Every structure is written in structure tokens, then in C-alpha cells.
Amino acid sequence: MEQVLQHFRKDEQPFIEQVSGWLRETQDRYAPKLTDFLDPRQQFIVQSMIGQNDDIIVSEFGELPEAERKRMLISPSYFVAKEEDYGITAFSIKYPSKFIKLEHPDILGSLMSLGLDRSKFGDIRVDDNRIEFAVVSEMSDYVRSHLTAIGKSKIKVDELPHEHPYLDNTDTWLEESHTVSSMRIDTIIASLFNISRQKASMLIHSGKVKVNWTVREQPSFELHESDLLSIRGYGRIRIGLIEGRTKKDKIRLQIGRIEPKS
């Protein structure tokens, strides 16, 4: 465990210990263990911890196309997962789109107000007049019964069949290569968006920067592979491979970028 912990952040240790418990449970029971929805960073940690194990395999599924948030199955090597094994239900939301405009934060806020943890919900997709989202199947009846309004707008929630043509993830990631002097969050933001370190620090201190859906307010915060940054007004950055260092000791970095929607 100590060798594993040294590769990750201190605040990730509780999750790492949870994954270790899932692994032990799978080994002891010799039966699959299904997680709630995990974000890409958590998926990376699970893959890192279990990927080297010959007897235990891990797979993931998010129901919606190219889903970011997925449930994972930690299972003995004999087990071949089918989509229904992941226990995901997809819903659509019907609302008076001619009169109001609902956006991702509106949907997420209403789902969270039901008293369920974020891990119970997968991706949320929104376009001009359609909203779709994924939820763990064990909570689907509760969500269907209790999600009746978003803000002041009455809504109707309908379950979608598995073969439904879901909304695609319309975000297009632009892959880029960069060299940076360090993996500090202020350095990364300043370098990738061509702004000063001072301005990057101001964005961070003002709560406008999230890493893996968590607000981070320390400019010295260190980024890792698979981290997802969301910078309000600037877009999103996904940290890809850290490819080593240049002769001038700069870090070679692969990133994905999504520009903010106008």
C-alpha cells in the first residue's frame, strides 16, 4: 500500500483505501464488485491499482456515448461483463424549452438537491431542447418520483431504452503538445492560456478553477496525468501523458483542450 500511496495525492488516500477494499472483496468473494460512477481521475487510480493484477480485471461503462463518468466492474478474470451488468439507467427530461433555457448546472443542482451523492449520477447532456442523464439503476425509481421540477419549471422525466440514440458528447478535444516548467496549477494555466502567473493565481484564488470537479484555491497545487481542469471563462484542459523532460529540464506534456462555448 505504501508504494501505491506515494504515487498519488494525500487527499486521494481515502479513495485509494476504498479501491483496496474493493479489490480484497473481489478476491475474497471471487465475484464482481460494481462501483458507483467515477470521474476520469478515479478511473485512472482504479486502473493503476488493479491493472497489474493477473487474477482481477477491471472494465467500465457510462451508457451515454463517450461518457466521462463511468461505473466500473472489478471482477475475477473469468467474468465477461455485459452492458446490463453495470446497472445504469438513462433518463430524458421534457420541459417548456420555448420559454426557458436550462443548462448543465441547473440539471446537476436539481439532481443533487434530491439528497443523493454525485457518484450516483453519470454524464449530463444538454442541447437546445433535449436533456439526458445517467443514474445508477438502484436509484432510478427514486429519481423518477422526486425529480418533478428544475427551478420554477415543471418537468417530465422519462426512462430511455438502451438502444435509444443518445445525445453525443459534442465537445471536441483538441490534442496539443506543450513544454512547461512545472506541474503547478498556476504555471500550467499561465502557460496554456498565455496569461501571467499573477492572473492565473487570481483565477485560482477566486474559486474559478476546478480539478476533477473540485475547486482548488492553492496556486501551488500539483497536477497529475488524467487530471481534468475546468477554468471558468477559459474552457477545459485534460492532462494527458507526461513524456519526460527536455534538455533544458522542461516537462514535455500532452494535453486535450476544449474551448468555452460562446
Side-chain angles (χ1 to χ4, degrees):
M1 173 65 88
E2 288 299 322
Q3 284 185 321
V4 173
L5 290 177
Q6 68 184 0
H7 295 294
F8 299 105
R9 302 186 179 105
K10 285 187 176 181
D11 62 4
E12 291 173 328
Q13 290 184 13
F15 179 71
I16 290 166
E17 290 164 3
Q18 186 177 25
V19 176
S20 295
W22 295 338
L23 178 58
R24 286 193 300 272
E25 182 181 341
T26 303
Q27 291 170 326
D28 292 345
R29 294 175 56 240
Y30 207 59
K33 169 66 179 178
L34 179 63
T35 74
D36 284 340
F37 283 101
L38 305 179
D39 64 46
R41 175 66 181 174
Q42 293 170 322
Q43 295 167 38
F44 173 77
I45 292 173
V46 174
Q47 292 282 8
S48 299
M49 293 181 65
I50 299 175
Q52 305 302 317
N53 193 307
D54 293 334
D55 299 324
I56 304 298
I57 58 175
V58 62
S59 57
E60 68 275 330
F61 183 61
E63 186 65 40
L64 303 184
E66 299 180 48
E68 282 188 346
R69 299 178 62 81
K70 299 174 184 177
R71 299 191 83 174
M72 302 188 87
L73 267 168
I74 302 166
S75 53
S77 55
Y78 74 82
F79 185 78
V80 180
K82 301 184 290 293
E83 289 185 0
E84 55 264 32
D85 293 323
Y86 293 93
I88 301 174
T89 301
F91 286 111
S92 68
I93 294 175
K94 293 181 179 176
Y95 69 102
S97 56
K98 289 184 179 179
F99 306 105
I100 61 169
K101 180 176 174 59
L102 295 178
E103 297 181 345
H104 189 285
D106 303 315
I107 317 306
L108 179 58
S110 295
L111 290 172
M112 298 295 287
S113 71
L114 300 179
L116 299 177
D117 189 80
R118 180 66 179 99
S119 65
K120 301 300 181 184
F121 303 105
D123 282 13
I124 300 168
R125 302 280 166 85
V126 181
D127 74 1
D128 292 338
N129 53 18
R130 288 172 67 190
I131 298 171
E132 296 173 355
F133 67 93
V135 63
V136 295
S137 293
E138 53 267 36
M139 290 289 120
S140 59
D141 288 342
Y142 180 84
V143 171
R144 187 189 291 107
S145 300
H146 290 81
L147 187 63
T148 57
I150 297 177
K152 296 180 180 179
S153 174
K154 293 290 185 183
I155 63 167
K156 186 175 186 298
V157 175
D158 292 318
E159 184 174 336
L160 296 171
H162 286 293
E163 64 272 15
H164 175 79
Y166 298 123
L167 285 171
D168 281 326
N169 185 350
T170 54
D171 290 333
T172 300
W173 288 94
L174 304 175
E175 302 298 329
E176 300 174 357
S177 298
H178 287 268
T179 56
V180 294
S181 59
S182 83
M183 294 301 294
R184 282 174 53 122
I185 191 171
D186 58 347
T187 301
I188 294 286
I189 292 173
S191 176
L192 299 189
F193 294 101
N194 197 26
I195 60 176
S196 67
R197 284 270 296 276
Q198 183 181 12
K199 185 168 185 180
S201 294
M202 287 173 61
L203 289 170
I204 296 163
H205 285 306
S206 60
K208 293 181 179 179
V209 177
K210 291 183 179 181
V211 179
N212 300 332
W213 295 275
T214 299
V215 173
R216 298 289 184 177
E217 297 182 343
Q218 300 81 31
S220 61
F221 184 83
E222 290 276 328
L223 295 173
H224 293 170
E225 288 183 348
S226 298
D227 278 343
L228 183 70
L229 282 76
S230 176
I231 304 101
R232 197 183 310 163
Y234 287 82
R236 303 169 83 197
I237 293 291
R238 182 176 58 204
I239 303 297
L241 289 174
I242 298 173
E243 298 181 323
R245 291 183 178 268
T246 67
K247 290 180 179 178
K248 294 184 177 180
D249 208 32
K250 295 269 190 176
I251 299 168
R252 286 197 298 267
L253 185 64
Q254 294 289 328
I255 69 147
R257 184 198 297 266
I258 294 177
E259 301 292 343
K261 294 178 180 178
S262 55

